[in-house]
Amino acid sequence: METLKIAIQKSGRLHDESLKILRDCGISINNGRDQLKVEAANFPLEIFYLRNGDIPQYLRDGVADLAIVGENLLYEKGEDLQIQKRLGFSKCKVSLAIPKQCDFKSVAELSGKQIATSYPNTLQKYLDQNNVSAEIHLITGSVEIAPNIGLADAICDIVSSGSTLFKNNLKEMDVILKSEAVLASSPNLNTEKKQILDKLLFRIDSVLRAENAKYVLLNAPNEKLNEIIKILPGMKSPTVMPLAESGWSSVHTVIYQEKFWEIIDELKSVGAESILVSPIEKMIL
């Protein structure tokens, strides 16, 4: 039987969250100390722990079939690779930043300047799109220090909270790219591996839906049920069950995070009571 080989970061910000989503999919991974490769106990999956920057080439070569990587890495080194699923975690930006005292108003003012970065291809594409000619200074370590030591006039780097920029007396000038963790695939998957991938994607979809939704139970007077049902479409329609107390019903439904508090406010305003909210472990449609 075929086994899917998935690459994740050996270490770094994506490592723990990559393992978590696989485990949330019910895949049993028993890590040994300093292992570079491990097989799942209950799913045809083999996990490779690789250096982040090497992963796109391993996908091209077919050494790995899948990988959980930052979208920014694919933009830099793997635009030819297919994204199978956006995973919603490890969100960040690749930004252009300058010293706080600089008064540059547009990227055009960086023409002829030096820009330090660990993402030369991403930066070059950005400069080309803006018709700017600047000197790219490649740095593999801490990019933020470059302007402070006179090595560059600006930097291009990953920004998460912005605290690192602040500590190094820098400010964001422009966002080049927004990124999150993605599941990417090799172009060399055979039919059997694609079938295993479909099963994995089904599990991932169930996990991601559950993370973005809450299970809600509430009590409602029967004369208000129609109003409440209009507010609560649910996955198809809410479940309504009579309570022991005459004239009242229990309503069960699912509310998605993006509109959760607005809907709760509406429910209360039309007479819903005793609203209980629970997390959902998996949501299978």
Side-chain angles (χ1 to χ4, degrees):
M1 182 179 177
E2 289 274 18
T3 299
L4 271 181
K5 296 169 288 186
I6 185 169
I8 68 172
Q9 282 187 1
K10 182 180 178 182
S11 61
R13 63 192 181 91
L14 279 175
H15 175 85
D16 292 341
E17 288 184 283
S18 298
L19 288 176
K20 180 181 182 300
I21 195 168
L22 293 176
R23 288 178 172 135
D24 287 345
C25 288
I27 297 170
S28 178
I29 304 166
N30 297 315
N31 280 20
R33 185 175 178 84
D34 298 325
Q35 280 184 285
L36 298 179
K37 182 176 73 169
V38 64
E39 289 189 14
N42 59 348
F43 193 84
L45 192 70
E46 193 171 17
I47 297 95
F48 292 175
Y49 300 107
L50 303 174
R51 286 182 65 250
N52 189 51
D54 295 336
I55 290 176
Q57 192 58 50
Y58 281 119
L59 284 174
R60 279 192 204 92
D61 294 342
V63 174
D65 302 310
L66 303 172
I68 297 177
V69 294
E71 189 176 0
N72 58 292
L73 178 65
L74 293 186
Y75 192 78
E76 176 67 22
K77 292 187 173 183
E79 279 197 296
D80 56 316
L81 299 169
Q82 184 179 358
I83 294 176
Q84 293 287 342
K85 178 66 63 178
R86 298 181 185 277
L87 302 175
F89 58 82
S90 290
K91 293 186 178 182
C92 66
K93 301 175 286 185
V94 179
S95 296
L96 190 67
I98 56 175
K100 287 181 179 177
Q101 66 272 19
C102 286
D103 58 357
F104 294 149
K105 297 297 189 293
S106 73
V107 65
E109 294 179 76
L110 289 174
S111 183
K113 305 293 186 181
Q114 288 191 328
I115 307 175
T117 188
S118 299
Y119 297 89
N121 296 328
T122 299
L123 176 57
Q124 188 62 64
K125 282 183 272 191
Y126 171 79
L127 294 174
D128 291 344
Q129 290 165 3
N130 287 278
N131 298 313
V132 172
S133 177
E135 183 179 342
I136 296 176
H137 196 98
L138 180 61
I139 294 179
T140 56
S142 299
V143 174
E144 293 87 357
I145 197 174
N148 292 330
I149 61 176
L151 191 61
D153 302 289
I155 68 163
C156 167
D157 200 18
I158 284 181
V159 175
S160 295
S161 66
S163 62
T164 305
L165 292 183
F166 180 80
K167 290 174 185 176
N168 286 276
N169 202 35
L170 300 171
K171 61 183 179 182
E172 189 176 73
M173 183 179 179
D174 197 8
V175 175
I176 296 175
L177 173 72
K178 291 184 178 180
S179 175
E180 64 182 274
V182 298
L183 181 70
S185 64
S186 166
N188 305 312
L189 295 182
N190 61 33
T191 301
E192 190 171 350
K193 288 189 175 183
K194 287 179 180 177
Q195 290 173 348
I196 300 170
L197 172 59
D198 287 342
K199 291 180 181 179
L200 179 61
L201 288 172
F202 174 79
R203 294 190 184 195
I204 290 173
D205 283 338
S206 299
V207 169
L208 295 180
R209 280 192 212 101
E211 288 179 351
N212 291 314
K214 298 292 184 184
Y215 189 72
V216 177
L217 301 86
L218 60 91
N219 294 339
N222 288 344
E223 67 268 18
K224 296 291 185 179
L225 277 177
N226 287 337
E227 287 182 70
I228 286 173
I229 288 170
K230 288 178 183 178
I231 297 169
L232 287 177
M235 290 189 291
K236 287 191 176 178
S237 65
T239 299
V240 180
M241 296 183 292
L243 292 177
E245 183 177 347
S246 177
W248 284 79
S249 295
S250 173
V251 181
H252 301 221
T253 191
V254 170
I255 301 178
Y256 288 94
Q257 295 277 27
E258 62 268 19
K259 293 186 176 180
F260 178 81
W261 288 111
E262 292 89 337
I263 291 176
I264 292 297
D265 288 340
E266 285 188 69
L267 290 172
K268 286 178 64 64
S269 72
V270 297
E273 296 182 8
S274 303
I275 301 172
L276 301 179
V277 181
S278 300
I280 301 172
E281 186 174 327
K282 306 287 187 297
M283 188 185 294
I284 300 168
L285 300 181

